[in-house]
Amino acid sequence: MQEGDVVRSLSGRDRNTLLAVVNTDEKFVYVCDGKARPLHNPKRKNPRHVSAVERRLSAADLHSDKSLRKALAIVKSEIM
């Protein structure tokens, strides 16, 4: 997974929520949704607990919480 990838949470309180990957390291991915998890406070998740969606966001979509929420809403409407 890379920065900008859209993932679906498989476990935790945010189960079945679409999130955007904002950072990665050796063990974890850091995800945000722009509302419950703003860009300045990403959620650390185990990569096994997220499933990749066939979508990717641009750097402009990751610029602010508002643009992130809009981009994720568009992806959600395309998937459903």
Side-chain angles (χ1 to χ4, degrees):
M1 286 181 222
Q2 299 175 351
E3 185 176 332
D5 287 347
V6 178
V7 296
R8 182 183 304 274
S9 175
L10 299 177
S11 64
R13 293 180 191 172
D14 56 359
R15 180 179 300 158
N16 294 326
T17 310
L18 289 180
L19 304 161
V21 175
V22 294
N23 199 359
T24 60
D25 62 17
E26 301 88 38
K27 295 183 181 181
F28 298 103
V29 294
Y30 296 87
V31 294
C32 295
D33 67 356
K35 187 173 183 179
R37 283 294 176 172
L39 289 168
H40 65 82
N41 188 22
K43 171 73 175 157
R44 182 181 74 176
K45 290 196 72 86
N46 189 320
R48 291 181 290 172
H49 296 162
V50 294
S51 172
V53 178
E54 298 291 326
R55 301 288 191 275
R56 187 172 176 102
L57 302 179
S58 67
D61 294 332
L62 297 175
H63 179 67
S64 68
D65 290 325
K66 185 176 181 178
S67 62
L68 177 58
R69 285 192 306 268
K70 284 183 179 183
L72 288 175
I74 291 169
V75 171
K76 185 176 181 179
S77 68
E78 291 174 354
I79 292 174
M80 299 289 180

